[in-house]
């Protein structure tokens, strides 16, 4: 398996624009997590899904953030409108089952909002 | 919710010496404790984990210990090498869905 695949790897956008980050989890994994990493706040869990259903989105910072998982092999994280303080590395991770919580991370998307 | 504290924030060791990183957690229901290594510009990668029914686990030069009573767990790296230089994160999970709460990370620098 190629592991968790994220796209794009880098994104530079202007403030106010819509940004969509994409993730393909490892095939057969039931749980999917979106994290944001910054120097100031470390690794923050934004939202997670189990069997494509959102379980907890309490980490989503504002209504500008939304996430979907239309099927077992694809998820998106959208920011609309984007702001400079959204600049961070966004990681997607997946794990086999809730009982086996080993999370495997994608390469991340480095987002810069100017 | 779960709160994980990690110390120290930075650790400088001489090549060949041992490194120890300590974490404490707040939720007594936590039952899974992984450690991740993140090299500069790369993704966090799982290096070792331990479950609450085990007190110690070892994999070559790395080992993890867990004290459930005190609610703390530690990562031990022996015979450190320059390639061990990275940021190390501990995490804890008490969630039935596998949600992880991460510590703030420890920057380890191994000097030759």
């Amino acid at each position: 398996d190629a592991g968790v695949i994220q796209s794009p790897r880098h994104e530079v956008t202007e403030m106010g624009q819509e940004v969509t980050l994409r993730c393909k989890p490892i095939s057969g994994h039931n749980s999917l997590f979106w994290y944001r990493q910054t120097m100031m706040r470390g690794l923050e869990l934004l939202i997670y899904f189990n069997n494509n259903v959102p379980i907890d989105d309490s980490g989503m910072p504002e209504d500008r953030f939304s996430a979907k998982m239309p099927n077992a092999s694809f998820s998106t994280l959208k920011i609309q409108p984007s702001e400079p303080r959204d600049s961070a590395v966004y990681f997607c991770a997946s794990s086999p089952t809730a009982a086996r919580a080993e999370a495997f991370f994608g390469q991340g998307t480095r987002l810069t909002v100017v | 919710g779960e709160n994980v504290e990690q110390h120290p924030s930075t650790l400088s060791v001489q090549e060949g010496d041992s490194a120890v990183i300590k974490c404490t957690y707040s939720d007594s229901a936590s039952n899974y404790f992984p450690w991740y290594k993140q090299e500069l510009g790369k993704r966090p990668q799982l290096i070792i984990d331990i479950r609450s029914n085990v007190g110690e686990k070892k994999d070559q030069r790395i080992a993890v210990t867990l004290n459930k009573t005190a609610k703390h767990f530690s990562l031990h790296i022996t015979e450190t090498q320059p390639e061990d230089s990275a940021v190390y994160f501990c995490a804890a999970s008490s969630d039935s869905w596998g949600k992880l709460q991460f510590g703030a990370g420890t920057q380890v620098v191994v000097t030759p």
Side-chain angles (χ1 to χ4, degrees):
Chain A
D1 198 314
V4 177
I5 299 173
Q6 290 185 246
S7 64
R9 292 291 309 278
H10 302 273
E11 176 82 27
V12 180
T13 191
E14 290 187 347
M15 182 173 63
Q17 296 297 306
E18 177 179 297
V19 174
T20 299
L21 312 181
R22 296 172 175 80
C23 175
K24 182 182 187 319
I26 294 172
S27 177
H29 281 196
N30 292 341
S31 294
L32 183 140
F33 306 84
W34 281 101
Y35 288 91
R36 177 171 70 176
Q37 186 175 39
T38 60
M39 287 295 293
M40 289 299 293
R41 300 174 70 90
L43 272 166
E44 299 176 274
L45 178 64
L46 301 177
I47 185 171
Y48 64 106
F49 298 83
N50 185 261
N51 292 326
N52 315 338
V53 176
I55 302 300
D56 185 350
D57 65 355
S58 61
M60 297 285 258
E62 300 170 33
D63 291 345
R64 298 184 296 106
F65 286 69
S66 62
K68 294 182 179 179
M69 192 165 185
N71 56 62
S73 59
F74 184 65
S75 177
T76 59
L77 178 68
K78 186 177 293 187
I79 309 172
Q80 165 65 15
S82 58
E83 297 183 3
R85 59 195 168 117
D86 301 331
S87 298
V89 180
Y90 291 81
F91 286 104
C92 174
S94 69
S95 64
T97 65
R100 286 188 56 204
E102 301 96 322
F104 297 89
F105 283 75
Q107 296 274 36
T109 295
R110 181 173 295 278
L111 173 65
T112 303
V113 184
V114 298
Chain B
E2 176 65 279
N3 182 49
V4 177
E5 294 194 354
Q6 182 171 348
H7 300 280
S9 57
T10 59
L11 181 60
S12 184
V13 295
Q14 204 81 25
E15 183 178 358
D17 288 350
S18 295
V20 180
I21 304 169
K22 298 182 179 181
C23 290
T24 60
Y25 61 97
S26 60
D27 189 345
S28 56
S30 289
N31 55 15
Y32 176 64
F33 307 91
W35 286 88
Y36 285 81
K37 176 183 180 181
Q38 186 177 27
E39 297 175 353
L40 188 62
K42 299 196 174 179
R43 76 183 91 185
Q45 292 201 290
L46 179 67
I47 56 171
I48 195 167
D49 56 14
I50 193 167
R51 297 187 184 274
S52 59
N53 58 347
V54 176
E56 184 173 355
K57 184 176 178 181
K58 190 173 181 181
D59 183 3
Q60 299 183 337
R61 295 186 299 106
I62 59 173
V64 58
T65 58
L66 171 64
N67 184 327
K68 286 174 55 181
T69 303
K71 289 193 279 190
H72 67 70
F73 56 113
S74 302
L75 178 72
H76 304 252
I77 308 173
T78 58
E79 300 171 24
T80 53
Q81 301 168 4
E83 52 264 39
D84 295 329
S85 295
V87 178
Y88 291 80
F89 293 95
C90 63
S93 176
S94 59
D95 185 282
S96 58
W97 307 104
K99 168 185 171 182
L100 293 174
Q101 181 67 44
F102 282 87
T106 297
Q107 174 78 59
V108 174
V109 178
V110 181
T111 53

